[in-house]
């Protein structure tokens, strides 16, 4: 079982009184740094992010980690130190969300994108990093808070909680069916909910089963029940499903099945090369 080191990229909800995040423009960056980083680690991460000298820096506390993840992850796994960091850059309007990570070993880029779309985040380039390898489960909370301040928009508490739960559920599902398949399945189901809102558990089950069939994955009864419970919660929230659908369309290149991924393409290229070498070997025998 994978060791989970949970470190939150949470954000204090205020900055200098002379400048508001609501005044941020395209290309501006917000940086969150864990309060338990050493001075040297902070400088290394800022350089890695390419942060300008006057970048807005917000400190993250371990207390905030427990606040948003205590319901979904064992407290013993959240830890006692906040060291993860992130850079959120305002992207051009209509460009969607991009995520890149370093030293994050459980939550994938696609999982972050998916959960951020649920939270209502849009048009942001996000970089998540840490000085050591961590699961990355807690990073979502800080990113949402940073976006909330930068966009001068309050995201309902229940939506934030749902986004955190979605990320954890997707990561758990990834342990069973693969990370990319898990992210793709969640995206497919959300896309279908946005198009045709299911009226009951049976309709929702059919949507999930079809998504699993399309991705050629099998779900256990326990996994199916967890997904039905989660999506029932999600569809009853005050979520802009038109925006969800729009952002999912923009993110389709990122939230894709294994077969369309770089990893998947590399796998099939290796198979192709194997058969080419095999055919060449057979030809050489008869020649």
């Amino acid at each position: 079982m994978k060791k989970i080191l949970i470190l939150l990229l949470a954000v204090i909800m205020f900055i200098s009184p002379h400048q508001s995040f609501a005044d941020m423009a395209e290309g501006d960056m917000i940086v969150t740094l864990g309060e338990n980083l050493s001075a040297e680690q902070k400088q290394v991460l800022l350089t890695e992010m390419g942060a300008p000298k006057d970048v807005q820096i917000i400190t993250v506390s371990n207390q905030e980690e427990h606040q948003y993840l205590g319901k979904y992850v064992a407290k013993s796994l959240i830890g006692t130190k906040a060291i993860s960091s992130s850079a959120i850059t305002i992207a051009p309007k209509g460009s969607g969300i991009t995520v890149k990570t370093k030293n994050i070993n459980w939550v994938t880029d696609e999982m972050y994108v998916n959960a951020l779309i649920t939270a209502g985040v849009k048009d942001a380039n996000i970089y998540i990093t840490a000085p050591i390898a961590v699961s990355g489960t807690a990073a979502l909370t800080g990113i949402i808070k940073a976006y909330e301040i930068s966009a001068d928009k309050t995201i309902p508490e229940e939506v934030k909680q749902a986004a955190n739960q979605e990320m954890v559920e997707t990561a758990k599902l990834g342990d069973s069916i693969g990370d990319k398949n898990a992210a793709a399945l969640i995206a497919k189901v959300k896309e279908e909910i946005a198009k045709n809102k299911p009226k009951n558990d049976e309709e929702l089950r059919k949507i999930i089963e079809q998504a699993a069939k399309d991705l050629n994955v099998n779900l256990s009864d326990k996994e199916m029940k967890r997904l039905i419970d989660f999506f029932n919660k999600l569809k009853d929230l005050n979520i802009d499903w038109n925006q969800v659908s729009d952002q999912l369309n923009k993110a389709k290149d990122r939230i894709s099945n294994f077969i369309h991924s770089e990893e998947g393409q590399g796998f099939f290229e290796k198979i192709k090369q194997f058969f080419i070498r095999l055919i060449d070997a057979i030809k050489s025998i008869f020649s």
Side-chain angles (χ1 to χ4, degrees), residues 45-117:
L45 292 183
L46 287 171
T47 301
E48 179 185 317
M49 295 171 181
K53 291 183 179 180
D54 60 346
V55 70
Q56 296 284 355
I57 298 177
I58 300 168
T59 302
V60 176
S61 74
N62 181 249
Q63 182 180 356
E64 290 169 300
E65 300 182 34
H66 288 270
Q67 176 185 349
Y68 279 94
L69 285 167
K71 293 182 180 179
Y72 315 115
V73 182
K75 291 183 179 181
S76 61
L77 297 176
I78 297 176
T80 59
K81 294 182 179 181
I83 61 172
S84 295
S85 302
S86 67
I88 302 93
T89 304
I90 307 302
K93 186 175 180 180
S95 61
I97 302 169
T98 64
V99 173
K100 292 184 179 180
T101 59
K102 180 180 179 181
N103 280 337
I104 304 299
N105 60 20
W106 196 48
V107 181
T108 67
D109 299 5
E110 294 88 353
M111 293 176 193
Y112 283 122
V113 172
N114 230 343
L116 288 166
I117 288 173

Side-chain angles (χ1 to χ4, degrees), residues 219-235:
L219 299 174
S220 68
D221 292 340
K222 184 177 180 180
E223 288 167 340
M224 177 61 74
K225 185 181 185 306
R226 281 213 322 258
L227 288 174
I228 290 175
D229 290 344
F230 170 70
F231 283 116
N232 267 326
K233 175 181 177 180
L234 201 64
K235 69 185 182 66

Side-chain angles (χ1 to χ4, degrees), residues 2 12 29 34 49 55 71-73 75 108 156 160 166 172 178 181 185 189 210 225 253 258 287:
K2 295 180 180 177
I12 295 175
M29 178 187 290
M49 295 171 181
V55 70
K71 293 182 180 179
Y72 315 115
V73 182
K75 291 183 179 181
T108 67
K160 296 178 190 177
E166 176 180 332
K172 289 179 179 177
N181 279 331
L185 186 141
V189 174
Q210 186 59 52
K225 185 181 185 306
D253 287 341
F258 173 79
S287 62

Side-chain angles (χ1 to χ4, degrees), residues 14-15 19-24 29-30 56 58 146 149-151:
F14 61 90
I15 58 169
Q19 183 177 1
S20 167
F21 277 112
D23 297 329
M24 293 185 69
M29 178 187 290
I30 311 170
Q56 296 284 355
I58 300 168
I149 298 171
S150 69

Side-chain angles (χ1 to χ4, degrees), residues 25-244:
E26 178 185 325
D28 287 345
M29 178 187 290
I30 311 170
V31 166
T32 70
L33 294 176
E35 67 178 0
N36 298 113
L37 288 169
S38 68
E40 182 180 359
Q41 288 174 325
K42 290 178 181 179
Q43 189 55 54
V44 168
L45 292 183
L46 287 171
T47 301
E48 179 185 317
M49 295 171 181
K53 291 183 179 180
D54 60 346
V55 70
Q56 296 284 355
I57 298 177
I58 300 168
T59 302
V60 176
S61 74
N62 181 249
Q63 182 180 356
E64 290 169 300
E65 300 182 34
H66 288 270
Q67 176 185 349
Y68 279 94
L69 285 167
K71 293 182 180 179
Y72 315 115
V73 182
K75 291 183 179 181
S76 61
L77 297 176
I78 297 176
T80 59
K81 294 182 179 181
I83 61 172
S84 295
S85 302
S86 67
I88 302 93
T89 304
I90 307 302
K93 186 175 180 180
S95 61
I97 302 169
T98 64
V99 173
K100 292 184 179 180
T101 59
K102 180 180 179 181
N103 280 337
I104 304 299
N105 60 20
W106 196 48
V107 181
T108 67
D109 299 5
E110 294 88 353
M111 293 176 193
Y112 283 122
V113 172
N114 230 343
L116 288 166
I117 288 173
T118 292
V121 175
K122 59 182 180 179
D123 305 333
N125 297 322
I126 299 165
Y127 180 65
I128 304 165
T129 186
I132 60 174
V134 297
S135 70
T137 309
L140 183 67
T141 299
I143 298 167
I144 290 175
K145 287 187 175 181
Y147 174 80
E148 190 173 38
I149 298 171
S150 69
D152 194 21
K153 175 184 177 181
T154 300
I155 299 173
E157 186 69 16
E158 61 270 20
V159 175
K160 296 178 190 177
Q161 290 285 349
N164 277 279
Q165 183 181 357
E166 176 180 332
M167 182 182 61
V168 173
E169 290 295 337
T170 310
K172 289 179 179 177
L173 189 61
D175 289 336
S176 172
I177 67 174
D179 294 339
K180 293 188 179 296
N181 279 331
L185 186 141
I186 296 297
K188 280 177 173 287
V189 174
K190 287 200 298 187
E191 189 173 24
E192 190 60 30
I193 289 176
K195 291 178 182 177
N196 305 297
K197 294 181 175 59
K199 299 179 180 64
N200 51 52
D201 284 3
E202 187 57 32
E203 291 184 5
L204 183 54
R205 177 185 291 274
K206 288 181 179 179
I207 290 174
I208 298 172
E209 287 176 343
Q210 186 59 52
K213 182 179 179 180
D214 291 344
L215 296 170
N216 195 29
V217 297
N218 296 314
L219 299 174
S220 68
D221 292 340
K222 184 177 180 180
E223 288 167 340
M224 177 61 74
K225 185 181 185 306
R226 281 213 322 258
L227 288 174
I228 290 175
D229 290 344
F230 170 70
F231 283 116
N232 267 326
K233 175 181 177 180
L234 201 64
K235 69 185 182 66
D236 292 335
L237 294 178
N238 184 26
I239 292 176
D240 185 345
W241 286 101
N242 289 328
Q243 179 174 304
V244 168

